[in-house]
Structures are given as C-alpha cells and as structure tokens.
Amino acid sequence: TSFAKLKGYEGVRTMNVSLSFRTYENKGLIIYHEFSSRGFVKVFLEDGRVKTEIKTDEKEIHSTGDQNRGIVLDNYDEQFNDGRWHSLVLTIAPNSLILEIDQRPMRTEKLFSMLTSGWYYIGGARNKENHNIISNRDGFIGCMRQISVDGNFKLPHEWKDDDYCCKGEILMDACHMIDRCNPNPCKHTGICRHNSYEFFC
C-alpha cells in the first residue's frame, strides 16, 4: 500500500520520469500520473513484463472499448523481475510516448495530447474513489533508486514524511532484497524461482 510522490511541472504538455528498479515480483505499479486534463498514464509490471497504459481525451487512444481503461502498450518481450537493476525512462509529448528500458527506447506515436498535474506517484498510488485504476494489491515490492521527475531529484535523506506513505513500509537508503535461489535450494537440479516471500522449485 506504500508509495512515494514527487513534484513535476504542472499544466505542461510534456513529461519525463526516470528511475532504476529491481524486483522479483511478477506484478507491481512503477509509475502513476493522473493528468490535469482527463486521463492518466501508468507504467507497471504484469507477468514480469513492463507495460504502459495511457488514457487521454482523444477517442483514437481508446483501443480496448473499456471507458475506464486506455491503451496498454506491451513493447518488450522479456521479463524484468530477475532481481537485477534495470533503468527506465518514460517521456511523453504531444502524439508521442517513449518508454526506454536499459537504454533501449520503444516509441509509440498516436493522436493524443495531455496536460500534466503536479504530482507523480512512484511504486504505488493513493486509492481514488470511483476509480478502478489503482488497488492496494498493485503496489511495487522491490527497490528503486535515482528517481527523477522533470529533472527534480531527491537524495534519500531529503524525502520528508509528506513525500511518501506509509511509515514502516518504505525503507530509505537501503535495499534489503534476498536472493532465495542462490545457492539453489532445489533438489535433483530443480529450477528455482522466487518472489519476495518464498521460493518455488
């Protein structure tokens, strides 16, 4: 249920968010931003793959037919929940969305525009009434570093209590992830996979 939030430029038509992440989880919300114009953008893990969902006013962007959802972009074939650090950059401008992972950019061009609002949520988001976009089980479990929004960057000791929720759920300036598959606990040369809580053979 935890999240961090950073201030960005409000009321502009472009946005840029960058960070590095590592996780063993199959799913989790990485970035969420609700536009001051209608709609939102979110970057999330699903089945270990990084996907982007964007919804704006323009009818051209609504590919699913679900009015609460926008278009979901699934541009990377591989999974990124291998416990290694991965860099991520999300850049949006009129008619253009670029998601870059590990210095490999994927560009999507569609007819859309948006206006940013002030806050960007990282690793989760506050639940909003009448929106099914965010649920408590969607939160990110893992580590993040070098989080920047529109060039606004904070060192770990600069985050104030109002900048994140909730105390005891976010650990600053440390990454306590355990590789439960090294050494391999599986017998008979079994293949080991794991999440934040347990391993599977």
Side-chain angles (χ1 to χ4, degrees), residues 37-139:
S37 55
R38 287 179 57 197
F40 63 88
V41 64
K42 70 176 181 177
V43 181
F44 60 99
L45 281 166
E46 186 174 81
D47 299 322
R49 295 160 69 114
V50 175
K51 302 181 181 184
T52 308
E53 182 179 346
I54 182 167
K55 178 180 178 184
T56 66
D57 276 337
E58 279 73 15
K59 291 188 174 111
E60 292 88 347
I61 204 84
H62 295 159
S63 67
T64 62
D66 181 348
Q67 291 303 310
N68 288 325
R69 292 197 67 172
I71 187 170
V72 177
L73 308 171
D74 183 8
N75 291 331
Y76 293 91
D77 290 334
E78 68 265 45
Q79 295 178 308
F80 294 97
N81 59 341
D82 54 9
R84 298 191 182 105
W85 283 107
H86 297 284
S87 64
L88 184 154
V89 182
L90 175 68
T91 306
I92 299 179
N95 306 328
S96 172
L97 182 151
I98 302 171
L99 181 67
E100 178 182 305
I101 300 179
D102 296 337
Q103 291 78 52
R104 290 182 298 127
M106 295 285 188
R107 179 187 295 271
T108 302
E109 293 185 351
K110 288 201 172 284
L111 290 176
F112 70 90
S113 63
M114 53 81 189
L115 282 174
T116 59
S117 59
W119 290 103
Y120 291 74
Y121 289 88
I122 308 295
R126 193 185 304 279
N127 275 323
K128 305 207 173 166
E129 290 184 8
N130 304 321
H131 286 270
N132 295 322
I133 301 164
I134 308 298
S135 69
N136 284 337
R137 65 182 180 277
D138 289 333

Side-chain angles (χ1 to χ4, degrees), residues 21-36:
F21 71 91
R22 59 184 292 232
T23 184
Y24 291 114
E25 298 296 318
N26 283 324
K27 64 181 181 177
L29 182 61
I30 299 173
I31 299 166
Y32 176 76
H33 179 69
E34 189 160 346
F35 304 134
S36 61

Side-chain angles (χ1 to χ4, degrees), residues 181 184-194 199-201:
C181 290
N184 189 351
C186 302
K187 296 181 179 178
H188 311 297
T189 65
I191 296 171
C192 178
R193 302 187 189 282
H194 68 107
F199 67 86
F200 313 90
C201 294

